Amino acid sequence: MFKTKRLIASALSAALCCVASLLQISSPAGGYFNAGDAVVLLSAFLMGPVSGAAAAGIGSAAADVLSGFVIYAPATLIIKALMALVSGAVLRRLKSPKRVAPAVLAGIAAEAVMISGYFAFASVILGLGAGALADVPGNLIQGFFGVAAGTYLYLALSKIPGIRDFADL
């Protein structure tokens, strides 16, 4: 039963990451913002670093494929999985789950992974060099939203008895 619940929870989290990433708001500077980072963090906070990483990476990469940004899918798979791995590990390490400050710190660590990961991808793999810096302000805004919304959702959902000990499945 343990493995079945974990698999179902991971699949649902991957689907939520995908859908939240597909809800896109166009940026005047080019590209778009989405709510995917909030669900990436929520997955890691509720399910822990490993299951959260699998769900976040797969769901977010699927959104890239479905929205036509296939070239970003491999990078997104790695970056979003690392975000969840880092944020879940930091939250567990701080040993103060279900509190604002540890969740915010874990979210900030994850968003630093996102910003540096996409910068490295764009500058090296896509060959933009220093031109990749143009994406950093938009990623900062998305990261800020992700931390705020992910923390809020986590604290709100963790008050529900069935979800309270979800990471301990």
Side-chain angles (χ1 to χ4, degrees):
M1 192 68 157
F2 170 81
K3 289 181 181 179
T4 304
K5 284 184 179 181
R6 176 68 65 188
L7 181 62
I8 291 169
S10 294
L12 287 171
S13 291
L16 284 173
C17 283
C18 183
V19 169
S21 296
L22 288 172
L23 300 174
Q24 301 167 354
I25 300 166
S26 294
S27 166
Y32 65 89
F33 301 109
N34 65 61
D37 283 6
V39 182
V40 166
L41 295 175
L42 181 64
S43 296
F45 293 165
L46 289 178
M47 296 193 325
V50 177
S51 295
I58 292 168
S60 299
D64 278 351
V65 171
L66 292 172
S67 61
F69 294 98
V70 178
I71 193 167
Y72 283 92
T76 295
L77 175 70
I78 294 166
I79 292 165
K80 299 299 181 172
L82 285 174
M83 285 176 63
L85 193 64
V86 166
S87 62
V90 168
L91 189 66
R92 282 191 175 175
R93 182 84 170 134
L94 293 175
K95 297 182 181 171
S96 297
K98 300 173 185 83
R99 296 223 189 308
V100 173
V104 168
L105 290 174
I108 290 170
E111 297 302 345
V113 168
M114 184 267 293
I115 293 165
S116 60
Y118 280 117
F119 173 76
F121 176 74
S123 64
V124 176
I125 305 298
L126 296 182
L128 297 178
L133 286 171
D135 290 339
V136 171
N139 285 338
L140 282 167
I141 293 168
Q142 181 164 313
F144 175 80
F145 173 78
V147 171
T151 299
Y152 177 79
L153 287 170
Y154 168 63
L155 295 174
L157 289 174
S158 65
K159 292 179 181 178
I160 299 171
I163 295 176
R164 188 174 300 135
D165 300 315
F166 195 69
D168 297 325
L169 278 178

